[in-house]
Amino acid sequence: MTTDTASSSLRLSAVSYPAALPGTALPGYDRDKVEIGVVHFGPGAFHRAHQAFYFDRLLESDPRWGICAVSLKSPGVRDALGPQDGLYTLAQLDRETSFRVIGSILEVLVAPEDPEAVFARLAAPQTRLVTLTVTEKGYCLTGEGKLDTGHPDIVHDLAAPRGPVSAVGYIVEGLRRRFAAGLPPYAVVACDNLADNGWRLKAATIAFAEAVDPALAAWIEQNAAFPRTMVDSITPATDDALRARVQAATGLFDAWPIQREAFTQWVVEDVLGDGAPDLASVGVTLTDDVRGFERAKLRLLNGVHSTLAYAGLLKGHETVFEAVGDPALETLARDLMVQDIIPTLTAPRGLDLVAYAEAILDRFRNPEIRHFLSQIAWDGSQKLPFRILGTVKDALEAGGPVDRLAVPIAAWFHFLKKRAAEGVAVTDPLADRLLAVVQALPGEVKGDVAAFLALETVFPAELAANATFVAAVETAYEELG
Ligand code: CS2
């Protein structure tokens, strides 16, 4: 943030926002009349670009769905949005550009500073939904997708369930209080890119609750909804260029605006039941076939994103736009989608998967957005199992080739080697382990690949022992080397 710019101009707030320059869309409702009905864990850029945008629109017709945003660790969002009364600007940067002040976040809490305030929100009768964007690692799951009872946060929370640090710990303590008070549970809506996100979270929540009180676990099992969801909107991290652009367009300084493409999609399993917000009225798809949407998005968009990230960084590209403009990488992306991934998918009714894949490539060509490959490259150990390895497993079961699907995996290995050689740390919860593997590599193809595939939390044992898969990864590793 540039303090000069901040002080020389009016800052976005509840008082100043009506003075935004014409053309800036403003909250179309009275924020003083809004009630908090949603508690959200993890108010990072994606939440503010996506769910908070949908609730902002919903508040125009129903004031019960304001958001209490809870950061589980850092005070950054509270410190930026506090002086702005929770308001921030959403810039939609695309062939057409627009700016909108979002008003749906009414409160930002920093859980470690005031856990009791979070519990009070969770236990409030008006709270009907708990939503989450805590990234893959925030679910504290094992490689098999079960609650990781060896995870330090879970070990901590199981020993002190009334003073949790993890998202699952907070969800269970909130539900415990509601159970004790005779209130209905809230629905828990996972909004991260995990296959079967809601089911996994439900299983993890119940496993945790079992350890606290089996009666609570049974009550959650019978009464709480954990819909699976698919979320989609490309949301690069905020930078100073965006701050300047937002200030020029709106006339107001915003310490933490958000940028995204114009496209946005939210598909929610239709299990929220009576009393749920009318999400369909603001463009959310409620469906019984969330799996079809979710698999298609995770494997096509995110799978190819990760492929472009690792293969693109190895070729010296910085952004998705640059990578997809490289003819060899564009061909790789398209061939992966059409020849390898689509055959493993079952299209949801009405969705033409080839057209969907082309539309994704077109979104990657958005010239208004600088989406850094290095950002997408984060947390590869958490992302690749959902994005690529599920496809590999299905392709192997169908007897198909996995040569091209091995490319992103081999590219990830080379990316890790390159980062280690440059002395640059990788952002990944397994970073220490990954570095140890790289430092002990024997330096020949078979040995190197075997050492990487021995990462058992990333590669299930059966896959790591599959001769077709191993040979494909070795070939790709050699070609990229
Ligand atoms: C990206 C996603 O950072 C990443 O790993 O693949 O954040 C992607 O942009 C979103 O899932 C798009 O909906």
Side-chain angles (χ1 to χ4, degrees):
M1 163 162 66
T2 42
T3 336
D4 281 346
T5 330
S7 56
S8 64
S9 144
L10 206 53
R11 182 163 180 181
L12 175 64
S13 73
V15 175
S16 70
Y17 83 83
L21 291 175
T24 310
L26 300 175
Y29 49 90
D30 181 352
R31 288 183 88 223
D32 292 337
K33 301 223 164 73
V34 171
E35 273 180 27
I36 289 179
V38 183
V39 174
H40 179 82
F41 287 102
F46 188 74
H47 168 67
R48 283 179 281 152
H50 190 267
Q51 301 99 51
F53 160 81
Y54 287 95
F55 284 107
D56 187 62
R57 296 187 55 195
L58 186 62
L59 288 172
E60 290 173 10
S61 59
D62 185 344
R64 295 175 301 163
W65 304 104
I67 299 170
C68 162
V70 181
S71 298
L72 284 166
K73 294 201 170 81
S74 112
V77 176
R78 192 269 322 273
D79 292 349
L81 298 197
Q84 299 179 185
D85 305 305
L87 296 166
Y88 61 95
T89 317
L90 176 63
Q92 286 184 204
L93 304 181
D94 225 299
R95 275 84 185 173
E96 279 183 23
T97 293
S98 63
F99 298 85
R100 182 182 175 105
V101 173
I102 301 288
S104 52
I105 297 184
L106 275 299
E107 178 178 64
V108 184
L109 299 175
V110 183
E113 288 178 11
D114 193 356
E116 199 47 48
V118 181
F119 299 141
R121 277 293 174 208
L122 289 171
Q126 307 87 294
T127 298
R128 305 295 303 273
L129 283 187
V130 169
T131 55
L132 291 90
T133 48
V134 291
T135 79
E136 295 84 345
K137 60 181 177 284
Y139 289 77
C140 304
L141 304 176
T142 62
E144 276 82 50
K146 304 266 171 10
L147 181 71
D148 182 358
T149 49
H151 189 292
D153 290 355
I154 300 300
V155 171
H156 171 279
D157 289 2
L158 286 172
R162 298 197 183 180
V165 295
S166 71
V168 171
Y170 270 97
I171 289 169
V172 172
E173 174 57 11
L175 287 168
R176 187 193 67 76
R177 291 186 181 212
R178 298 180 78 93
F179 182 48
L183 287 168
Y186 36 71
V188 188
V189 187
C191 300
D192 286 287
N193 291 316
L194 277 70
D196 296 325
N197 50 14
W199 283 0
R200 285 176 202 262
L201 182 58
K202 180 173 187 177
T205 303
I206 289 173
F208 188 109
E210 275 290 341
V212 175
D213 172 8
L216 172 65
W219 177 77
I220 296 172
E221 166 104 65
Q222 280 156 23
N223 298 289
F226 287 75
R228 291 172 295 168
T229 68
M230 182 271 254
V231 292
D232 192 8
S233 193
I234 291 174
T235 307
T238 298
D239 55 14
D240 281 338
L242 178 69
R243 289 190 183 89
R245 192 166 178 179
V246 163
Q247 186 166 4
T250 66
L252 298 173
F253 175 76
D254 181 345
W256 203 336
I258 301 293
Q259 58 182 330
R260 68 156 159 85
E261 61 178 337
F263 180 91
T264 179
Q265 192 176 17
W266 194 4
V267 182
V268 178
E269 194 171 16
D270 193 5
V271 294
L272 286 174
D274 294 343
D278 186 3
L279 292 172
S281 70
V282 290
V284 176
T285 303
L286 297 171
T287 175
D288 296 333
D289 182 21
V290 78
R291 175 181 279 241
F293 287 98
E294 171 254 284
R295 288 287 195 283
K297 189 266 171 170
L298 203 49
R299 292 184 177 189
L300 289 167
L301 190 152
N302 296 111
V304 171
H305 243 179
S306 290
T307 304
L308 291 174
Y310 299 123
L313 286 167
L314 291 178
K315 292 186 79 177
H317 299 303
E318 274 192 52
T319 63
V320 174
F321 178 79
E322 280 174 26
V324 83
D326 175 329
L329 291 179
E330 193 199 8
T331 302
L332 171 66
R334 182 174 290 105
D335 289 351
L336 265 176
M337 286 174 149
V338 175
Q339 297 184 40
D340 300 302
I341 303 173
I342 288 179
T344 71
L345 299 172
T346 308
R349 214 173 320 115
L351 188 71
D352 173 342
L353 289 171
V354 175
Y356 179 67
E358 274 308 326
I360 289 171
L361 288 176
D362 204 43
R363 288 164 59 195
F364 290 174
R365 288 188 209 101
N366 181 344
E368 291 297 313
I369 276 201
R370 278 176 68 70
H371 197 187
F372 286 101
L373 298 171
S374 54
Q375 183 188 341
I376 300 167
W378 287 0
D379 292 354
S381 72
Q382 312 292 299
K383 291 174 175 174
L384 288 177
F386 295 119
R387 296 178 175 205
I388 303 285
L389 300 184
T391 311
V392 170
K393 183 168 176 282
D394 289 351
L396 287 170
E397 274 167 16
V402 291
D403 304 311
R404 217 174 356 244
L405 288 165
V407 172
I409 297 161
W412 181 52
F413 298 164
H414 281 290
F415 160 82
L416 295 173
K417 275 175 43 177
K418 187 163 183 275
R419 284 282 198 260
E422 290 163 351
V424 179
V426 294
T427 303
D428 194 300
L430 287 194
D432 292 346
R433 173 98 195 268
L434 298 173
L435 187 61
V437 170
V438 169
Q439 283 169 343
L441 288 175
E444 41 81 26
V445 172
K446 279 186 187 304
D448 285 7
V449 167
F452 281 118
L453 294 183
L455 289 161
E456 72 291 339
T457 53
V458 182
F459 300 102
E462 204 184 326
L463 186 62
N466 183 297
T468 309
F469 176 65
V470 175
V473 178
E474 287 171 355
T475 304
Y477 185 81
E478 184 156 27
E479 279 170 10
L480 286 168

